[in-house]
Amino acid sequence: MTENLSGKLVIISGPSGVGKSTIARRICEMFKNAHLSISATTRAKSNKEIDGEDYYFISKEQFEERIEKELFLEHAEVFGNMYGTPKDKVDQALEQGQIVILEIDVQGGRQVKEIYPDAIMIFIVPPTPKDLANRMNNRGRGEDEKAAKERLETASQEIAAAWRYYDNMVINDDLEQAV
């Protein structure tokens, strides 16, 4: 039941490499009662990531079991990996009056908006497609050309969908301005 929750849910979405994580972290630094929801994923953990801090890294079988038990607020497959938002953690934080930021894709954002109609939806866009391509290339994730091209094509589709479903569009041309 979303009526009894005193916190606020904020959905931040945008193409890969647009700066969602940086913006979300800065917002959490600005507001003491804001925190970034931690998603579960089936993708492999990088050397820099910490389980339970960056993501909850779980197996595909564990993920599917949680889907069956309806333990995710939303879930989606993105570039061959599963991602989901643990429902219990979000509800608990909202009940405590916190601002919960979900950094999720458009598909997940739409799912959450159906459950929490009062959620604030923000989509981060790059100044230009070329800027986005440069940001993706400079992230150093070691992607091959095919994967990079797929991410750029997906970005175009996400931006088009966001214009229809999101309340707020923020151009990340200047980080301070975007925050």
Side-chain angles (χ1 to χ4, degrees), residues 138-153:
N138 293 333
R139 290 189 341 166
R141 293 217 172 147
E143 291 180 325
D144 62 17
E145 193 173 322
K146 181 183 176 190
K149 184 178 179 187
E150 183 180 350
R151 283 193 189 271
L152 280 174
E153 288 172 2

Side-chain angles (χ1 to χ4, degrees), residues 74-175:
E74 60 79 34
H75 61 86
E77 183 173 343
V78 182
F79 302 115
N81 296 300
M82 299 297 294
Y83 293 84
T85 303
K87 189 187 303 183
D88 61 335
K89 307 277 188 202
V90 171
D91 286 343
Q92 182 180 38
L94 290 172
E95 287 168 5
Q96 295 171 355
Q98 296 181 5
I99 299 169
V100 180
I101 300 172
L102 303 182
E103 184 189 324
I104 55 180
D105 71 352
V106 172
Q107 178 182 344
R110 289 179 60 199
Q111 290 174 29
V112 173
K113 186 72 170 179
E114 288 180 20
I115 299 165
Y116 295 96
D118 293 338
I120 298 168
M121 297 182 71
I122 302 168
F123 193 86
I124 312 296
V125 292
T128 68
K130 185 178 181 182
D131 286 321
L132 183 61
N134 289 338
R135 289 178 189 182
M136 285 182 180
N137 290 335
N138 293 333
R139 290 189 341 166
R141 293 217 172 147
E143 291 180 325
D144 62 17
E145 193 173 322
K146 181 183 176 190
K149 184 178 179 187
E150 183 180 350
R151 283 193 189 271
L152 280 174
E153 288 172 2
T154 300
S156 297
Q157 295 166 3
E158 287 178 324
I159 292 168
W163 282 108
R164 291 190 346 203
Y165 300 109
Y166 279 67
D167 307 316
N168 306 282
M169 303 293 279
V170 175
I171 300 171
N172 188 10
D173 189 14
D174 174 276
L175 182 61

Side-chain angles (χ1 to χ4, degrees), residues 22-37 99-101 179:
T22 302
I23 290 170
R25 281 193 302 269
R26 295 286 289 279
I27 292 170
C28 289
E29 291 168 4
M30 292 171 64
F31 297 94
K32 289 183 180 182
N33 67 330
H35 82 274
L36 185 60
S37 174
I99 299 169
V100 180
I101 300 172
V179 171

Side-chain angles (χ1 to χ4, degrees), residues 36-86:
L36 185 60
S37 174
I38 301 170
S39 297
T41 184
T42 59
R43 77 163 172 77
K45 181 175 87 64
S46 76
N47 293 336
K48 297 178 183 178
E49 292 174 314
I50 299 170
D51 186 36
E53 197 171 299
D54 296 298
Y55 287 96
Y56 298 110
F57 294 94
I58 61 175
S59 70
K60 187 173 183 178
E61 293 76 23
Q62 291 171 311
F63 199 98
E64 289 170 351
E65 183 179 306
R66 292 177 188 193
I67 291 172
E68 285 178 30
K69 292 181 179 178
E70 298 182 355
L71 298 177
F72 289 123
L73 183 57
E74 60 79 34
H75 61 86
E77 183 173 343
V78 182
F79 302 115
N81 296 300
M82 299 297 294
Y83 293 84
T85 303

